[in-house]
Amino acid sequence: MKASEVLRRYAQGERDFQGVNLRGQSFRRQNLSGTDFSGCDIRGANFRDATLQGTKFCRVKAGLQKRWVVGLLLVCLVLAGLAGVLLGFAGGLVAFIFGDSSLEDRIIGWTSLITLVLLYGTIFRRGLGVEVAVAFAVAFAVAFAGAVAFAVAGAVAFAGAFAVAGAVAGAVAVAVAVAFAVAVAFAGAVAVAGAGAVAGAVAVALAVVGVLLSLYLGWRAIKGDPRDAFVRSIAVALATTGGTSFYNADLTDANFTDATLKNTDLRAKSLTRTCFKNSIKLDLARPGKTLLANPAVRELLMTGQGEGKDYISANFRGANLIGANLKNAILKFADLSNANLEYANLDGTNLTQVNAVATNFTHASLTGACIEAWNIESSTILEQVDCCYIYLLEHPKPNTDDRERRPSSGEFQEGEFTKLFEEVMDTVDLIFRNGVDWKAFVAAFKKVQVENEDTPLEIQSIENKGDGVVVVKVQVPPTTDKEKIHREFNENYGLALKAVEEKYKGQLAAKENEIAIHRQNNADMVEITKLLASKPINVEATAMTNSSDSSKKIAVGRDFNISDSVVNLADTIGEVNNAINQLPSSSKTEEPGIKELLSQLKTAIEDPNLSDDDKQQALQQVQTLAEAAQNPKNEAMQKKAKKAIGFLKVISEGLEPVVKLVQAGKDLIPAIAVWFGL
C-alpha cells in the first residue's frame, strides 16, 4: 500500500493497517499515533521525524530491502579486496627477510615483522581505538616500517567488511568476502615478494594469517566485544543505511512486541515506555545514544529477565519494564525516571540512590528491597505496591547488623507502605553518619535557604539513630527539585565544616583529636535548638516501629510474583480446573454465571499463540478468581479478585490481536468484574 493511501485513510479515522506491505514507503514528519501496523512489512520504510505515540509495530519485519542488501554486499567485497591488497603488500615486505635480498631489504623485513607483531598484539589485546591512530602515526613516521600502515589498514578494512556482511546477510556473504580477500592477498603477496619460492610462500602465509586475524577481529566486533566498539559502530551504521528509519521519531508508548528489527535506525527522539518484548535482532539495530545502546539494558527490555544482574548506574529512563523480573538485581545509582515498572518483581533489589521521579511502581513487589536515599517525588506512583518490609540502609550501621528495616518488626499492613512514602515524597533526607557539627549545619542551611528563596524549607524532624548516625528531614513543596536541594546542602555543609575545622585547629594548636570530641559533645543539638526556637519540631520515633507482628501480607506472592513461577503448566491447569469445578453452575440458561465465565476465560488463555509464561501467569489469576468466587463476601478475597482482574487486563492489552485473550479482555473480564461488583 502506498504511503499516500495510508495517510488518506488515517485522516478519515481508520487506524487498522495490519499486515499491509509498506516496503520503501515514506511517512516522514507524519502523525500516525495510535495506528496498528502489526504484521506489516516495513523494510526500507522511512518514519524519520514522525509522531508515533501508542503505535503498534508488533511482529513487523523491519530492515533492508533486497536492492540495498545487494549494494551493501558489493561494498563488503570492495572492503575485502582492499584488505587483501594491503595485507598482501605487508606480507611481501616481511618476505624480504628470506631469499637473496639485500641488507637494506632484510632490515625493512625484520623491522616490519617486529612492528607488526607488537601492533597486532596491541589491537587484539585492547581493541581498536586510540592505539590504531597511534599505530598509523608511527608507521608513517618510521620509514622502515611501511608495512605496518598497510597491515593495520587491512585489518580494519576486512574487520569492517566482515562485520557489515554479518549484519546484513549473514554467513554466505562472510564466506564470499573471506574467499575474495584471501585470493587478492595471495596475488598481492606474490607480486611484492618476487619470484623466489621461499619468499613467496612466506608472503602468502603472512597475508593469509592477516586475513584470518582480521576475520577474528570482525567476528569479535559483531558479537559486541567492547574493545571493538569502533568497528561495530561503523558496521552497524553502514548496515542500517537504507533500512527502516525511526530517526528522531516520537515512539512514546509504541509497541514492538515480537518485531524483527535488524538494520533499523532506532535513534528516536523518545523511547518512553516503548515495548520491545520478545523482539529479535535488536542488537543489529542502530541505537545511537538511547537506552538501547547498553547491551544489558537492551537484553532486559527484550526478555524481561534480570534476576540477580548488575545494572549499576544504568540508564532506564522511560523504559517499559512491565512485569520484569529484577529480583535481587543491583540498580544502584540507576536512572528509572518515567519508567513503567507495573507488576515488576523487585524483591531484594538494591535501589540505593536510584532516580525514581515519575516512575510507575503500581502492583510492583518490593519486599526486602533497599531504598536508601532513593529519589522519589509526588509524580512517583506507589499505588497498591506489594511489600512486606523494606530496608532504608544498604549497609548495616557501624558495629551492628541493623539496616533500618521498616517496619522494625512484623509486616506492612494494607496501605501502610504507600502512606509512609507519600510523606517521604515531600521531604529531603540529610543523612550524617559521623555526627553533626551544628555550627556548620546552621551555616549551610541558611545559605541554601538564601539560594532558594522562592522555595520554603522547613526542618520537619531530627532523628538520632545512634552510633553517630543522624537523619534530618527537611520539608519541601511537592514540585521542588529535591536532588538540587540535597546537592547544594552537601556542598555548603562541606565548605562550612572545613571552615569550622580550620578555626578549631588554630584555636586548639593542632589538637586535632579534640575536634572529634567537640562534635560528640555537641550531640545534644544545642545550636539547632536555637535555630528552631521559633518553630515547633516534631521529633518522630522510628516510622512504623509499632506495626503489629501479627499483621498479614497483603497479596499472596503467587498472585503477582510474575517471573518466579516454577509450577508445571499442566499442574496449574489442573488446579484451575479443580477450583472452577467447585463453583455452582448458573441457574439461568441464557445468562452465564461466574463458573461459565471463568471456564471461557481459561479456554482463551490456553490459546496456542500465547507463550507458556503468559499462560502460567494468566491461569494463576483465574485460580485466584475462582477461589474468591467461592467466598465473594470476604473482603480479603474481594481485594485479591480486584488485583487479579487488573493484572489480566494489563496482560490482555499488551498481547497481539491474534491471541484469544485479547478479546476475552474486552468481553469476559468486564463481565467477571461486574459479577464481583467491582
Side-chain angles (χ1 to χ4, degrees):
M1 184 180 293
K2 296 293 185 181
S4 57
E5 179 65 11
V6 173
L7 295 173
R8 183 185 68 80
R9 293 187 183 183
Y10 183 88
Q12 293 177 350
E14 185 174 346
R15 296 294 182 268
D16 190 349
F17 296 94
Q18 296 184 55
V20 173
N21 182 355
L22 299 174
R23 284 199 301 267
Q25 298 301 306
S26 177
F27 300 94
R28 187 171 183 178
R29 298 194 180 93
Q30 299 298 321
N31 185 350
L32 292 167
S33 297
T35 306
D36 190 348
F37 287 124
S38 297
C40 290
D41 185 345
I42 59 171
R43 285 177 291 180
N46 184 3
F47 293 95
R48 188 184 181 102
D49 299 309
T51 302
L52 301 165
Q53 296 183 6
T55 302
K56 284 190 175 183
F57 291 99
C58 305
R59 307 186 317 281
V60 298
K61 188 172 184 179
L64 294 165
Q65 298 184 79
K66 290 182 179 180
R67 63 175 181 270
W68 277 97
V69 173
V70 173
L72 287 174
L73 288 179
L74 292 176
V75 172
C76 292
L77 289 178
V78 171
L79 287 173
L82 174 63
V85 170
L86 297 176
L87 291 168
F89 184 82
L93 290 180
V94 174
F96 285 158
I97 297 172
F98 305 93
D100 298 328
S101 303
S102 63
L103 178 61
E104 183 182 28
D105 289 342
R106 288 175 182 272
I107 293 174
I108 292 175
W110 279 109
T111 304
S112 299
L113 178 61
I114 294 172
T115 311
L116 278 172
V117 170
L118 292 175
L119 288 178
Y120 262 113
T122 300
I123 291 173
F124 283 93
R125 182 179 178 83
R126 298 187 179 181
L128 287 164
V130 178
E131 291 85 357
V132 175
V134 174
F136 275 107
V138 172
F140 284 113
V142 181
F144 291 120
V148 175
F150 294 102
V152 173
V156 175
F158 188 73
F162 174 87
V164 172
V168 174
V172 175
V174 169
V176 173
V178 171
F180 188 60
V182 171
V184 175
F186 180 90
V190 173
V192 175
V198 176
V202 171
V204 170
L206 288 173
V208 172
V209 169
V211 171
L212 295 177
L213 289 175
S214 302
L215 178 67
Y216 168 70
L217 180 63
W219 173 83
R220 199 171 67 180
I222 204 64
K223 287 296 183 181
D225 194 309
R227 293 175 295 178
D228 307 308
F230 172 74
V231 172
R232 179 183 174 81
S233 61
I234 293 177
V236 172
L238 184 59
T240 57
T241 303
T244 306
S245 176
F246 291 101
Y247 179 80
N248 204 38
D250 185 352
L251 291 169
T252 302
D253 293 313
N255 191 344
F256 286 93
T257 300
D258 294 319
T260 301
L261 298 172
K262 182 179 182 180
N263 310 131
T264 301
D265 191 341
L266 286 171
R267 294 176 295 166
K269 177 172 67 175
S270 172
L271 289 176
T272 303
R273 298 182 299 278
T274 305
C275 179
F276 292 99
K277 184 178 180 180
N278 297 328
S279 59
I280 60 175
K281 299 186 179 179
L282 188 58
D283 59 317
L284 295 177
R286 189 176 185 183
K289 296 181 180 180
T290 67
L291 73 169
L292 298 176
N294 185 328
V297 172
R298 187 170 61 232
E299 183 71 16
L300 178 61
L301 291 174
M302 290 189 294
T303 65
Q305 298 298 319
E307 181 174 350
K309 294 184 180 179
D310 187 342
Y311 298 103
I312 294 178
S313 300
N315 174 23
F316 288 104
R317 181 184 293 271
N320 187 324
L321 295 171
I322 296 176
N325 179 16
L326 287 164
K327 182 178 181 181
N328 297 323
I330 304 175
L331 272 68
K332 188 174 181 179
F333 306 123
D335 186 354
L336 293 172
S337 58
N338 291 293
N340 191 342
L341 285 156
E342 289 184 83
Y343 293 100
N345 182 1
L346 297 168
D347 290 343
T349 303
N350 187 341
L351 297 171
T352 300
Q353 296 189 49
V354 300
N355 181 7
V357 174
T359 305
N360 187 353
F361 290 101
T362 302
H363 289 299
S365 179
L366 282 165
T367 298
C370 173
I371 57 173
E372 178 178 351
W374 69 340
N375 183 21
I376 59 175
E377 59 177 28
S378 56
S379 60
T380 304
I381 303 175
L382 296 171
E383 296 296 327
Q384 302 181 63
V385 168
D386 181 7
C387 182
C388 298
Y389 60 90
I390 45 89
Y391 295 105
L392 299 183
L393 296 177
E394 180 182 9
H395 301 293
K397 292 188 292 187
N399 304 317
T400 71
D401 58 356
D402 184 10
R403 294 177 57 197
E404 288 288 332
R405 185 186 189 272
R406 291 292 184 277
S408 298
S409 62
E411 297 179 352
F412 283 122
Q413 296 181 14
E414 183 177 359
E416 283 187 339
F417 177 89
T418 301
K419 183 178 180 180
L420 172 63
F421 286 99
E422 279 178 349
E423 298 174 358
V424 173
M425 288 179 188
D426 296 333
T427 64
V428 175
D429 290 354
L430 305 176
I431 302 175
F432 304 87
R433 297 187 178 279
N434 298 305
V436 185
D437 188 301
W438 294 111
K439 288 185 177 180
F441 179 93
V442 171
F445 189 76
K446 286 183 176 179
K447 189 170 183 180
V448 172
Q449 284 182 314
V450 171
E451 293 174 348
N452 298 273
E453 57 183 355
D454 296 332
T455 303
L457 304 175
E458 296 182 4
I459 295 177
Q460 183 185 78
S461 64
I462 302 168
E463 299 178 17
N464 189 344
K465 302 294 186 179
D467 294 316
V469 178
V470 177
V471 178
V472 179
K473 293 183 178 293
V474 179
Q475 186 171 5
V476 297
T479 57
T480 303
D481 186 345
K482 297 194 298 180
E483 184 179 1
K484 176 176 177 289
I485 298 296
H486 190 274
R487 182 180 65 254
E488 289 180 354
F489 176 83
N490 283 338
E491 292 174 354
N492 290 322
Y493 180 75
L495 294 173
L497 185 62
K498 185 176 181 181
V500 171
E501 288 183 344
E502 290 297 329
K503 180 179 178 180
Y504 290 159
K505 288 179 182 179
Q507 292 176 344
L508 300 175
K511 295 182 179 180
E512 296 179 356
N513 61 316
E514 293 189 22
I515 296 176
I517 297 174
H518 171 79
R519 290 185 187 172
Q520 190 65 32
N521 290 338
N522 273 327
D524 59 353
M525 306 180 183
V526 174
E527 295 295 335
I528 200 64
T529 302
K530 294 179 181 179
L531 174 68
L532 302 175
S534 61
K535 299 179 181 180
I537 300 178
N538 179 21
V539 181
E540 299 178 354
T542 300
M544 309 308 297
T545 301
N546 296 323
S547 296
S548 174
D549 290 343
S550 61
S551 59
K552 298 182 179 180
K553 187 174 180 179
I554 301 169
V556 180
R558 182 199 68 200
D559 293 336
F560 293 98
N561 198 357
I562 295 176
S563 300
D564 282 345
S565 178
V566 295
V567 182
N568 182 273
L569 182 59
D571 293 341
T572 301
I573 294 174
E575 293 176 3
V576 173
N577 286 331
N578 290 335
I580 293 176
N581 289 334
Q582 293 178 28
L583 297 172
S585 299
S586 174
S587 58
K588 300 178 181 179
T589 57
E590 71 281 0
E591 183 178 339
I594 188 63
K595 181 176 182 179
E596 290 74 22
L597 290 173
L598 291 178
S599 296
Q600 294 177 43
L601 181 57
K602 172 182 162 294
T603 301
I605 292 171
E606 292 174 340
D607 183 351
N609 291 316
L610 194 62
S611 69
D612 287 347
D613 286 342
D614 288 338
K615 288 179 184 178
Q616 184 84 2
Q617 296 163 19
L619 285 170
Q620 288 172 350
Q621 310 316 312
V622 174
Q623 183 177 354
T624 298
L625 291 172
E627 293 169 353
Q630 295 174 24
N631 192 5
K633 295 183 179 181
N634 183 284
E635 184 177 350
M637 299 306 291
Q638 277 275 4
K639 291 177 181 177
K640 285 189 177 183
K642 183 178 180 180
K643 290 184 178 181
I645 290 172
F647 182 43
L648 285 168
K649 286 182 179 178
V650 171
I651 292 180
S652 64
E653 289 171 359
L655 296 174
E656 305 310 312
V658 297
V659 180
K660 294 179 181 178
L661 184 55
V662 175
Q663 190 61 40
K666 298 177 181 178
D667 300 333
L668 296 176
I669 295 177
I672 294 171
V674 170
W675 191 91
F676 279 101
L678 301 176

